[in-house]
Amino acid sequence: EKDENNLMLFEGFKSRVVAITGENPSKNSNYKWHKYPDGGTVFPTRSGGWIYVSNSEVFKHNKGGVGTLVFDKNSNIINAYSICSKTTGNCAGGPTPWNTWLTCEEINEGFVLECDPSGKKKPIKYKSLGMFRHEAASVDPKTFNIYMTEDQEEGGFYRFIPEKESKKKANYKKGILQVANISNSNVEWINVPEPQANPKIKKGKETKHIPVLMKRGKNSKIKYTIFNRGEGAWYHEGKIFFATTGDNSIWAYDISGEKLVKFYKGDGALAKPDSITVSKKGLILAADDSGDMEIVAISQKTKKTFSLLRIVGHKGSEITGPAFDPSGKRLYFNSQRGKKNQRGITYEVTGPFEKYA
C-alpha cells in the first residue's frame, strides 16, 4: 500500500517530503525550491550533516540552475540556497573527489559548470569539456579524468583528460577531450578535433544543430561508437556505470582495463534506465523513465532486478536525482513535475538499503 506521501515502499522504509517547487524548504532561507528538479548528489559537511544539490532542468534560456538543501547531523533542513543560476536545461552531472558539483546543460550549446555546494565560490564554466548536449559527468578519483554521456540518439561516450593542478585537484580549463570507439569490448579513445565548435551550422535556409562531433553517426568525420541517448553515470570501485535510455541498457566501463561491456539489457523490471547511482555495497539504483515512476535496483552479484520503490499518481512526471546521504541509509530523489505536471517534489526515503545489495 502507498504511504501518506503516495510512495510504495518495502517494509522497514519510511518517506518524507523535503522540498516542493515554489515553496521555501527552510525557515532560515528565502530560497524557493526550483522548477523541474533533476540530477543531484550529496556532499558531507564538517558539522556531520550533508548537502543535497539539485539541478533545475528549465529549458527557457538562462532560467535553469542548481539549488541546495542543507541538513544538520539529525537530518533537519537548516538552509537552502542557489549555487548556480542563468544556465539552461541543467539535467544531470556528477560530484568531484574534492566535493564540488559538475552540472551539465542538456542543450546543443550546452557546457559543464563546476559549482561549490557551499555557495561561497562562483561557478566555473569549462568550455574545454565541449559544447554539446551534456547529460552526466563521472570523475575517476585516481586520475581525475571525467567520463561524460550525451543525450542524443547518435551520442558519444566521452573522456576528458585534464591538466593536473595538484595531487588533490585537477584543472579542467585545459586538457584533451576524447570519444570512445569500441571494438570487441576494447575501448580506443579518439581525440575530438573541435571540442568548442559552435554547433549551429547553416544549411540553406535552415540552421542545423550539429554537436561536438560535427557530422553525426555514419557521416561522422571521426570514428566513434554511437550510444543511443546516454543518461545517468556513476563511478564505483574502478568502473563507470552509465545508462542509455534509447536502447534500455546499462553499461560498465572498466577504467584500468579499458573495456566496456553491457551490464544490463532492458529485459527485467527496468525498462528505460535514466538517472543512476550506486550504494556503498554496490547496489545499482536506476530511475525508470518508462512512465511507471519507479526506482529499480540491480544487484551486481546476481544481476537480478527488482522495484525498490514507486510513486503513485504522478502520471506525466519522472523520477530524477537519486543520491544517498553519507550514511547510505537515506535516499534523496525527485518527482520532477509532481502530480498533474505541476510542482516538483523532492523526497527522502530512509531504510536498510544495503540489506538488498
Side-chain angles (χ1 to χ4, degrees), residues 16-295:
R16 69 167 171 155
V17 171
V18 291
I20 298 173
T21 293
E23 296 184 8
N24 289 4
S26 169
K27 295 176 183 177
N28 301 324
S29 168
N30 292 324
Y31 181 70
K32 290 185 177 180
W33 198 236
H34 45 270
K35 287 184 178 179
Y36 308 143
D38 203 281
T41 198
V42 175
F43 297 98
T45 59
R46 291 179 181 176
S47 60
W50 55 92
I51 299 172
Y52 178 62
V53 302
S54 170
N55 286 339
S56 175
E57 195 186 30
V58 176
F59 285 104
K60 196 173 180 180
H61 183 63
N62 284 350
K63 296 295 183 181
V66 186
T68 65
L69 295 173
V70 184
F71 298 83
D72 66 16
K73 61 182 180 181
N74 297 315
S75 79
N76 300 305
I77 300 172
I78 56 172
N79 208 350
Y81 46 81
S82 170
I83 60 171
C84 180
S85 60
K86 296 182 179 178
T87 49
T88 308
N90 297 65
C91 193
T96 69
W98 44 93
N99 287 331
T100 58
W101 171 244
L102 298 172
T103 185
C104 296
E105 293 182 302
E106 192 202 336
I107 55 173
N108 289 318
E109 299 85 19
F111 288 108
V112 177
L113 296 91
E114 185 175 11
C115 307
D116 173 18
S118 74
K120 293 175 182 176
K121 295 179 182 178
K122 289 183 178 179
I124 304 167
K125 182 186 286 187
Y126 292 123
K127 293 185 176 180
S128 54
L129 297 180
M131 181 196 286
F132 59 93
R133 193 177 284 268
H134 287 275
E135 180 71 30
S138 188
V139 181
D140 174 8
K142 293 181 180 177
T143 62
F144 302 152
N145 293 346
I146 305 178
Y147 295 86
M148 296 178 288
T149 56
E150 180 180 24
D151 195 350
Q152 292 256 109
E153 287 183 1
E154 294 185 339
F157 177 50
Y158 297 88
R159 177 174 76 176
F160 182 77
I161 302 173
E163 283 189 3
K164 284 200 175 178
E165 194 171 280
S166 67
K167 289 183 179 179
K168 294 182 179 179
K169 196 177 179 183
N171 177 12
Y172 291 133
K173 289 181 179 178
K174 293 182 180 179
I176 302 166
L177 182 67
Q178 301 175 317
V179 67
N181 186 40
I182 291 104
S183 176
N184 296 323
S185 300
N186 295 308
V187 179
E188 178 189 11
W189 291 102
I190 311 293
N191 288 358
V192 174
E194 297 180 76
Q196 298 171 45
N198 192 324
K200 286 185 178 179
I201 296 176
K202 287 191 176 180
K203 191 176 182 182
K205 292 182 180 179
E206 295 180 14
T207 299
K208 276 214 166 188
H209 291 276
I210 304 179
V212 70
L213 295 174
M214 309 308 282
K215 290 184 179 178
R216 311 298 300 192
K218 295 174 184 176
N219 298 318
S220 177
K221 289 182 179 179
I222 61 174
K223 197 176 180 183
Y224 74 100
T225 298
I226 291 172
F227 289 94
N228 191 344
R229 292 197 56 211
E231 295 279 358
W234 196 262
Y235 171 89
H236 183 75
E237 293 186 351
K239 292 179 180 178
I240 304 289
F241 292 92
F242 68 93
T244 47
T245 303
D247 60 1
N248 311 336
S249 301
I250 293 177
W251 304 78
Y253 174 62
D254 180 348
I255 295 172
S256 62
E258 294 198 333
K259 288 187 178 294
L260 185 99
V261 296
K262 190 174 284 190
F263 172 79
Y264 170 82
K265 175 65 178 168
D267 51 8
L270 177 61
K272 287 190 174 295
D274 195 331
S275 307
I276 64 172
T277 192
V278 184
S279 74
K280 287 182 178 181
K281 289 188 178 179
L283 186 68
I284 296 172
L285 269 57
D288 192 337
D289 199 18
S290 65
D292 57 8
M293 295 298 292
E294 290 185 343
I295 290 182

